[in-house]
Amino acid sequence: MLVISLTDCPQKLRGDLSKWLFEINTGVYVGTVSARVREELWQRICENLRTGRATMVYSAAGEQKLDFRVHNTTWEPVDFDGIKLMRRPNMQKTGKGPDDTTEKKSSRRMHENYVVIDIETTGLSAEEDEIIELAALRVIEGKPVEEFSTLVRTEKKIPENIQKLTGITKEKMNTKGKDILEALQCFLNFVGEERVIVYNASFDYSFLQKACRINGLPDFINPCTDTLLLSRKRVEGVENYKLETIAKNFSVTTSGDVHRALADCYLTYGIYVKLNEICM
């Protein structure tokens, strides 16, 4: 079972959702679809719902028997020992207005040190698919200083379209890849407790959190900045909000292999820098 609730939903998006789900009330959609269709619908929502809010709840394995996604909300999903909760934003007054110059400069300085992350997977569903590549880029005082990248071995077949998209084959994975436990440990050690910059955080975090739970590792709950959400708020006039589209809009390029995790880290870093320039 799948339930999606939307506000300020564009007519085109309503039409797309109505092809798969029943609209039982204004902005409330219910139905039963495959995990693949569910992930594609959520991606469509995130790409087209610019000002409204979205919540998706669906049946899932685990103690809660459900999982959920949110978009454009101030409340933040967090994992607590395998139970997903919502973290309420801190609304405590600081005495400074939202446009205070000192506060803005302090916020920018705070985010000059961070780690950009990206993953490649066998598909779109964290429940059914697996990670095949992990990458991270450490940024100190606004400049990239260190890289991490590894392929991840999996018993799962890599779909033909993923092989064509990424160039990652079973042979390459078996030759150069690490087992998931070793790869995750190396990745987590590299990232540490730093703030993470990521494009489409809900996607990456869902895979990372599942992999950590399965392998008995501490959950991945680093604070993050989602450049996809920032792009929707600050970038107008683009065809869609895919990583490649936003990178092209900002003339951000990379010398790495297209659709590989480390190359996408550099694209995300470049986009984050440009998004910050918009607000300066």
Side-chain angles (χ1 to χ4, degrees):
M1 175 64 73
L2 172 68
V3 179
I4 297 175
S5 175
L6 307 172
T7 64
D8 296 333
C9 182
Q11 188 62 38
K12 178 180 181 299
L13 181 56
R14 292 183 64 182
D16 290 340
L17 292 173
S18 296
K19 294 176 183 178
W20 297 95
L21 306 170
F22 294 104
E23 186 173 12
I24 62 173
N25 205 338
T26 304
V28 180
Y29 297 84
V30 177
T32 302
V33 296
S34 68
R36 180 185 63 81
V37 172
R38 183 190 70 227
E39 295 301 321
E40 289 181 356
L41 287 176
W42 184 248
Q43 183 174 348
R44 189 74 58 85
I45 289 170
C46 292
E47 289 177 353
N48 291 277
L49 194 67
R50 298 188 58 186
T51 59
R53 297 186 300 274
T55 302
M56 178 174 72
V57 182
Y58 55 93
S59 303
E63 188 173 344
Q64 289 175 295
K65 303 301 182 184
L66 59 85
D67 202 348
F68 57 87
R69 308 273 181 86
V70 293
H71 173 65
N72 279 353
T73 63
T74 55
W75 289 52
E76 177 186 6
V78 295
D79 191 279
F80 183 76
D81 290 339
I83 302 297
K84 185 172 283 190
L85 306 174
M86 292 298 291
R87 177 187 293 156
R88 185 173 60 184
N90 184 2
M91 303 302 290
Q92 183 177 359
K93 297 293 184 179
T94 63
K96 295 180 179 180
D99 295 324
D100 186 87
T101 303
T102 302
E103 185 177 1
K104 284 186 176 182
K105 289 182 178 178
S106 174
S107 176
R108 285 199 293 271
R109 286 198 298 270
M110 180 180 67
H111 293 169
E112 284 183 345
N113 298 341
Y114 51 85
V115 177
V116 186
I117 67 168
D118 191 73
I119 65 174
E120 298 297 334
T121 66
T122 58
L124 298 175
S125 171
E127 293 178 33
E128 300 176 1
D129 296 301
E130 297 180 1
I131 296 171
I132 56 175
E133 188 174 36
L134 292 161
L137 178 67
R138 187 180 310 284
V139 177
I140 303 295
E141 296 183 354
K143 302 295 183 182
V145 298
E146 189 178 4
E147 302 173 350
F148 170 86
S149 178
T150 182
L151 293 174
V152 182
R153 297 192 195 105
T154 175
E155 297 299 320
K156 195 175 186 68
K157 180 180 179 182
I158 304 177
E160 190 69 27
N161 65 313
I162 299 297
Q163 293 188 49
K164 291 180 179 178
L165 185 68
T166 65
I168 300 175
T169 63
K170 198 74 171 179
E171 294 73 23
K172 185 179 294 185
M173 178 189 297
N174 291 335
T175 301
K176 300 182 179 180
K178 292 182 173 69
D179 292 334
I180 181 63
L181 178 57
E182 180 185 2
L184 271 175
Q185 288 174 327
C186 294
F187 175 81
L188 294 175
N189 287 338
F190 183 91
V191 176
E193 298 181 356
E194 292 284 354
R195 168 169 288 275
V196 163
I197 308 299
V198 58
Y199 204 88
N200 193 2
S202 63
F203 179 84
D204 291 52
Y205 269 61
S206 63
F207 275 89
L208 289 168
Q209 289 173 347
K210 174 198 169 186
C212 286
R213 287 197 298 270
I214 290 176
N215 290 278
L217 296 173
D219 204 358
F220 189 73
I221 55 173
N222 290 45
C224 81
T225 298
D226 189 341
T227 49
L228 172 58
L229 299 184
L230 287 179
S231 296
R232 291 199 182 99
K233 292 177 181 178
R234 302 179 186 177
V235 180
E236 298 181 353
V238 291
E239 181 181 356
N240 56 57
Y241 287 89
K242 294 179 180 179
L243 176 67
E244 299 84 354
T245 304
I246 300 302
K248 183 178 180 180
N249 178 74
F250 285 128
S251 298
V252 173
T253 60
T254 175
S255 59
D257 296 333
V258 179
H259 297 296
R260 292 294 297 271
L262 186 57
D264 286 352
C265 282
Y266 275 97
L267 290 180
T268 300
Y269 161 73
I271 290 170
Y272 182 61
V273 171
K274 294 293 186 180
L275 288 169
N276 283 336
E277 290 176 358
I278 292 176
C279 296
M280 294 181 69

